[in-house]
Amino acid sequence: MIDPKPATENTAAGKAATRKRRFGGTEPQIRSALKFYKVMAYLTGAMLLLLCAELVARYGFGQYLFAGGTDAITGQPFGFGFAGAEPPAVLGGVNVSVTVLIVHGWMYVVYLISNFRLWSLMRWPFLKLILLALGGVVPFLSFIVEKKFHAEVEAELAANPQAPQRY
């Protein structure tokens, strides 16, 4: 004769309650990934805001930010500031506007690496990785997402003290 089991053990809620939370790494690994993610979120967010300001100057006012070079009209040395884009108002020098574009692009790549590292160690659903990635392309979102996910990681680590004990 088979002993009947309570109905709560066979339901999905009963299985979810009995499953233990597991992480993809130890607590120091997760905290390291969280710190790396936090630094990259703030740096990428700041560079994105600088990029937005540069794009407004370029497309709204037709100005590039230059450092050094020679003024094309007067022939005088050009220090640091905005100059006309078409025709070029500064000869030589460093186009800081283009530099901001390049730096933000590479910083976003490193930001995505930090997102993937945190996401894989926490074993989150794929949708959270997409939300983390959007933080680097929507102005101000990286600051909001970082605060939310930082608090979530801390809460999960505190609620599951045995989960990261892998070794």
Side-chain angles (χ1 to χ4, degrees), residues 37-151:
Y37 165 70
K38 183 176 186 169
V39 168
M40 289 311 302
Y42 280 106
L43 288 176
T44 304
M47 284 303 294
L48 181 60
L49 293 177
L50 190 60
L51 175 66
C52 289
E54 185 274 324
L55 290 175
V56 168
R58 179 188 298 185
Y59 295 114
F61 302 105
Q63 301 285 308
Y64 283 109
L65 186 60
F66 280 95
T70 306
D71 192 319
I73 297 171
T74 65
Q76 299 293 321
F78 188 84
F80 182 78
F82 288 101
E86 297 294 330
V90 175
L91 303 173
V94 175
N95 188 339
V96 178
S97 296
V98 172
T99 305
V100 167
L101 291 169
I102 293 168
V103 169
H104 171 71
W106 282 106
M107 198 172 278
Y108 183 67
V109 170
V110 177
Y111 174 73
L112 288 176
I113 292 168
S114 73
N115 291 344
F116 182 77
R117 183 174 174 219
L118 182 64
W119 171 78
S120 63
L121 287 174
M122 292 301 295
R123 294 186 177 174
W124 281 332
F126 185 70
L127 187 60
K128 286 194 179 186
L129 179 64
I130 300 300
L131 186 59
L132 285 167
L134 283 176
V137 294
V138 178
F140 296 106
L141 188 61
S142 68
F143 306 113
I144 297 166
V145 168
E146 186 279 327
K147 184 175 175 116
K148 178 187 179 299
F149 282 112
H150 185 90

